[in-house]
Amino acid sequence: MHNSDDGAGRGTDHTGPALPALDGPRRPLVALTIALLSCFCLLLAGLQGWSAWHAYRTRLEDSRVATANMTRALASHAETSIKLGDAVLAEMVERIEHDGLDDAATERLTLRLRELTHDVGELHGLFVYGPDGKWLTSSLPRPMQGNNFDREYFQYHLLHPGRGTHVSVPVRSRSTGVWILPLSRRIEAPDGTFAGVVLATLNLGWFGRFYDSFDVGKNGTILLALDNGTLVYRRPFHDDQVGMDIRNGTIWKRAQRSSQPGSAVLASRIDNIERLYSYRHLAGFPLFVASGEAKDEILAGWRRSTLQTGVLVLAAICVLAWGGVLLVRQIRVRERLEHDLRRAGAALQRHNESLQNLADSDALTNLANRRLFEDRLVREYDRARRNGAPFALVMADIDHFKQYNDHYGHPAGDECLRKVAGAVAEGARRPADLAARYGGEEFAVILADTDLAGANAVADRIRATVAGLDLRHPDSPSGRVTLSMGLYVGHPSLAERNDPLAWVDVADRLLYEAKDTGRNRVVAREGHEAAA
């Protein structure tokens, strides 16, 4: 087994690389090339798809952040405006309840209301109504006659004793005809009874001018609405939309699910445009704001860039396909040439293998010769040193072989060497093992990745096999041909010196120790240094 394996190994190790490639199984190069090019094209398409998807998500996320920041600014603006109105209302109530509404107090209050309206741009007007809904005074430049008993905010304070500011539904001002957002507070008499209402109106045009300063695209929108579903203002502005009930709208439903800010892609029920909305509730007031950019406008640039890169990728795939066709044609030409070369190379390879076998083999025993043994010794030793594996080396010598030759003659001695070599090769069974004729009647066996117990078993089996040949040897004390063997086992990785040939010296000394102690035996030792 070892002779045939070793012979094949010796031929393969030293033959040039081209010829074995020719003799190996023919790879389906055409199919492999087509498969590789197809995989590469699919990879390009996959990378383009992934890149497009990543850019798509990034574009939406950037827009979400932008609309969220815009909504925060809108909410801050609305909160500031309403808090300002709330502060003005608180001052008005405090003045009325403290100073009363006699002629002097009313005149002072009217001047103060006109001053506040002039200084605060958000305020459309400030008004005071009596318990019957009649106008008592206002910030208007001239007195107005009228009654607001029917207004929603007046009825609210009439029925609710709370002292906080009430945000009402938007209405048209009876004094100017513009859309306003009413903010109101209850006035109470000293006994706690209802004494009227103070009203501050915010001009929706003020909100409109602020909202128009934001760039939300051609089809974007900004809206301000009450939590009860009443639309206060929407950009683009349409007069008939003020006060609209949006409780069936997608953005109102989404905003009412949570008091926290949020974002979502929704289709508006007003114009059916799909937008990326961000929404936020006003702190302390029953309103929310929302801003949205049309999804088509958000993704317009992404679509253009994706189309451009898609065209480039398609062009690259077409170029690859064209190059693949040319490559496949060249491969087929190469295969025809290779077929011719293969036939010529087969004969040359057989000749090279024969020459290599002669160069690496001992002509008499057909075992590896000393040159191959030393080469393999270095390689297996280095491999064991790298892997940390054990390494065993056996040196064997035929006992009293000179006397055998003298007694039977050299032809019989050569036959004896061949039979002993066969027993040695039979012991080194694994492909990684190597049996070699070291010189004269001396043999060597390399046992890679083998510990002391395993190597000792192999060596003793070889010794027993030779003894079992029962070759007559009258000049030997045992009367037959025997082997003396030295075995050295260790871990090259633990050795301080990287010297595989030194292990031969150790095994050889152990061999002579076996001869000195009676022959026909194995002397084994384990260590890691040659000095051992």
Side-chain angles (χ1 to χ4, degrees):
M1 171 179 177
H2 288 278
N3 280 337
S4 60
D5 287 344
D6 292 340
R10 289 190 296 272
T12 305
D13 287 343
H14 297 280
T15 304
L19 294 180
L22 292 175
D23 279 345
R26 175 183 298 208
R27 295 182 178 180
L29 291 179
V30 173
L32 182 60
T33 301
I34 293 174
L36 288 175
L37 288 174
S38 299
C39 290
F40 192 70
C41 291
L42 289 174
L43 179 61
L44 279 179
L47 288 174
Q48 166 60 16
W50 178 86
S51 177
W53 173 251
H54 180 70
Y56 171 85
R57 300 303 303 173
T58 301
R59 187 70 187 92
L60 287 180
E61 178 60 17
D62 290 345
S63 296
R64 185 198 67 78
V65 172
T67 55
N69 290 335
M70 185 187 307
T71 304
R72 185 183 297 109
L74 295 170
S76 177
H77 172 265
E79 288 170 5
T80 300
S81 299
I82 296 175
K83 286 178 180 178
L84 183 60
D86 179 56
V88 171
L89 290 175
E91 179 185 346
M92 291 170 64
V93 170
E94 194 275 333
R95 279 176 174 267
I96 293 169
E97 292 182 350
H98 184 270
D99 298 340
L101 286 172
D102 56 28
D103 291 343
T106 300
E107 184 178 355
R108 289 195 304 271
L109 178 62
T110 301
L111 293 175
R112 177 59 177 162
L113 298 185
R114 290 174 182 174
E115 179 184 348
L116 288 171
T117 305
H118 179 268
D119 293 340
V120 181
E122 294 96 322
L123 291 175
H124 169 262
L126 297 171
F127 307 87
V128 181
Y129 302 100
D132 56 357
K134 290 183 179 180
W135 292 35
L136 300 180
T137 187
S138 72
S139 62
L140 298 179
R142 62 184 181 279
M144 297 289 294
Q145 298 296 321
N147 191 297
N148 279 26
F149 189 83
D150 60 331
R151 289 297 201 187
E152 183 271 341
Y153 54 83
F154 196 93
Q155 291 296 314
Y156 176 86
H157 291 296
L158 180 63
L159 300 175
H160 295 80
R163 303 283 281 171
T165 296
H166 173 65
V167 182
S168 186
V169 296
V171 295
R172 278 192 183 275
S173 170
R174 285 174 174 165
S175 59
T176 63
V178 300
W179 282 105
I180 57 174
L181 181 65
L183 307 177
S184 57
R185 278 195 178 218
R186 175 187 171 102
I187 306 173
E188 290 185 350
D191 60 358
T193 59
F194 178 70
V197 172
V198 292
L199 174 70
T201 58
L202 302 180
N203 191 344
L204 294 188
W206 172 267
F207 290 94
R209 288 189 294 274
F210 182 70
Y211 293 169
D212 288 342
S213 67
F214 290 91
D215 182 10
V216 292
K218 181 179 179 182
N219 293 316
T221 187
I222 297 175
L223 62 89
L224 173 67
L226 292 168
D227 285 343
N228 64 9
T230 302
L231 182 63
V232 176
Y233 187 90
R234 182 179 184 272
R235 174 187 170 186
F237 180 77
H238 295 284
D239 191 79
D240 58 348
Q241 292 178 355
V242 178
M244 177 187 294
D245 186 354
I246 61 170
R247 285 178 294 180
N248 289 328
T250 53
I251 186 61
W252 182 85
K253 292 179 179 179
R254 178 59 70 96
Q256 297 310 307
R257 290 179 186 174
S258 171
S259 61
Q260 299 300 317
S263 300
V265 177
L266 303 169
S268 171
R269 288 184 178 271
I270 296 177
D271 51 21
N272 293 320
I273 295 177
E274 190 176 29
R275 297 183 177 91
L276 173 61
Y277 286 96
S278 290
Y279 50 87
R280 177 182 287 268
H281 290 271
L282 271 63
F285 301 102
L287 296 102
F288 74 94
V289 293
S291 64
E293 294 186 44
K295 188 175 180 181
D296 286 343
E297 294 178 353
I298 293 173
L299 299 177
W302 170 80
R303 290 191 180 97
R304 286 193 300 271
S305 62
T306 300
L307 179 61
Q308 292 169 355
T309 54
V311 169
L312 291 176
V313 169
L314 181 61
I317 291 175
C318 291
V319 170
L320 281 173
W322 175 72
V325 171
L326 295 181
L327 181 60
V328 167
R329 289 177 180 173
Q330 291 300 316
I331 289 174
R332 287 175 175 167
V333 171
R334 177 183 177 276
E335 286 184 344
R336 287 194 296 269
L337 294 175
E338 183 180 301
H339 177 71
D340 296 336
L341 181 61
R342 190 182 298 274
R343 289 182 298 177
L348 178 61
Q349 182 173 350
R350 288 192 297 270
H351 180 66
N352 286 343
E353 288 177 350
S354 177
L355 293 177
Q356 190 65 52
N357 190 52
L358 291 174
D360 291 339
S361 298
D362 177 67
L364 176 64
T365 62
N366 204 31
L367 294 180
N369 59 20
R370 182 166 178 170
R371 186 188 66 82
L372 179 60
F373 163 76
E374 291 179 348
D375 179 68
R376 182 74 70 83
L377 175 68
V378 172
R379 285 193 287 122
E380 292 297 333
Y381 182 91
D382 288 343
R383 184 175 66 85
R385 187 178 181 87
R386 291 192 304 272
N387 299 341
F391 179 76
L393 178 63
V394 180
M395 299 296 292
D397 187 83
I398 301 177
D399 295 326
H400 303 292
F401 185 71
K402 182 179 183 305
Q403 291 85 342
Y404 187 93
N405 259 342
D406 292 342
H407 186 86
Y408 290 108
H410 288 288
D414 291 345
E415 181 63 23
C416 175
L417 286 173
R418 281 192 288 268
K419 291 181 178 180
V420 171
V424 173
E426 178 65 22
R429 297 176 180 178
R430 299 178 307 172
D433 299 338
L434 180 72
R437 185 183 180 191
Y438 193 72
E441 68 273 18
E442 192 171 3
F443 301 90
V445 180
I446 296 172
L447 299 173
D449 197 13
T450 306
D451 59 15
L452 180 61
N456 199 48
V458 171
D460 197 61
R461 184 169 60 247
I462 294 173
R463 184 199 60 76
T465 302
V466 171
L469 294 175
D470 201 23
L471 299 176
R472 305 290 296 171
H473 189 349
D475 295 320
S476 174
S478 63
R480 56 185 178 179
V481 174
T482 58
L483 279 182
S484 294
M485 308 176 76
L487 166 62
Y488 187 55
V489 180
H491 288 75
S493 60
L494 302 178
E496 294 182 0
R497 292 187 302 147
N498 185 11
D499 188 4
L501 295 179
W503 286 44
V504 176
D505 294 336
V506 178
D508 205 45
R509 290 201 298 271
L510 296 174
L511 165 63
Y512 281 98
E513 184 178 334
K515 288 182 174 294
D516 293 341
T517 55
R519 304 180 188 269
N520 190 23
R521 65 190 61 208
V522 178
V523 174
R525 185 173 299 166
E526 185 172 19
H528 311 304
E529 300 291 344

